[in-house]
Amino acid sequence: MTVVHIERFDDPRLAAYRGVADAELMERSGLFVGEGRLVVSRLVDARHRVRSVLVNAASYSALAPSLQRLDASVPVYVCDTDDFSRITGFNLHRGCLALAERPEARDPREVIRTARLLVVLEGVTDADNVGSAFRNAAAFGASVLLSPACCDPLYRKAIRTSMGAALR
């Protein structure tokens, strides 16, 4: 992890964070967003490759033990809380975002073959419902299989609702 203190909200190193509110742009970029301390901590512990983290000072302090586990090449940008909305384009009161690379889609046959218990979602398009399904599946040790018509489980709201369970 490399800590970088951001002095200006328009710092060019933060360009990737300017599109985090656009889910389609994130998906086309091969990235997804983790939002909030719990989710970012779980993201660091998960198998996903973290590209960078954007935090305010309070979140940096709270996440320090988790952030220490990041590869040395991963930048952790620390900015003023007031700059989050100017950087990201939306009001973010959690003071913590991370960008990570989207994993390759898993073969459904492999998911079915290895699952002890399986939850199948067909055409569930609401991010809160998808996130809740992942959270509940995690509570029972179940795997989740989604149809192509489902909401992206790596959409930031779905991840947040799942409390990071969608990262597993």
Side-chain angles (χ1 to χ4, degrees):
M1 156 188 77
T2 303
V3 179
V4 179
H5 292 276
I6 300 298
E7 302 298 325
R8 297 178 44 209
F9 75 92
D10 59 350
D11 188 310
R13 294 173 288 188
L14 302 177
Y17 287 93
R18 301 199 198 296
V20 296
D22 184 341
E24 290 177 12
L25 175 62
M26 287 288 102
E27 193 167 351
R28 282 192 314 272
S29 300
L31 300 173
F32 69 93
V33 181
E35 179 182 336
R37 293 177 188 173
L38 173 73
V39 169
V40 170
S41 178
R42 289 184 176 171
L43 177 59
V44 169
D45 293 336
R47 68 187 187 284
H48 305 288
R49 185 171 180 275
V50 176
R51 284 258 189 101
S52 65
V53 178
L54 177 64
V55 293
N56 61 15
S59 290
Y60 176 72
S61 295
L63 287 169
S66 292
L67 296 175
Q68 293 297 326
R69 293 192 295 275
L70 289 170
D71 185 85
S73 66
V74 175
V76 174
Y77 300 113
V78 181
C79 72
D80 289 334
T81 302
D82 294 339
D83 286 339
F84 266 97
S85 63
R86 291 189 285 185
I87 293 167
T88 64
F90 66 95
N91 185 17
L92 178 76
H93 61 277
R94 289 172 182 80
C96 183
L97 289 175
L99 293 178
E101 294 178 6
R102 297 180 78 74
E104 293 292 322
R106 291 185 57 202
D107 184 333
R109 293 172 294 200
E110 181 66 15
V111 174
I112 293 166
R113 188 183 67 71
T114 60
R116 182 179 63 80
L117 184 62
L118 185 64
V119 173
V120 178
L121 301 180
E122 173 64 41
V124 180
T125 59
D126 182 81
D128 288 319
N129 291 339
V130 169
S132 294
F134 270 88
R135 190 176 67 235
N136 288 309
F140 290 99
S143 296
V144 181
L145 188 63
L146 295 93
S147 74
C150 284
C151 171
D152 179 7
L154 295 178
Y155 174 59
R156 66 185 177 88
K157 189 173 182 187
I159 295 172
R160 189 174 65 237
T161 301
S162 79
M163 297 175 58
L167 301 172
R168 299 182 202 155

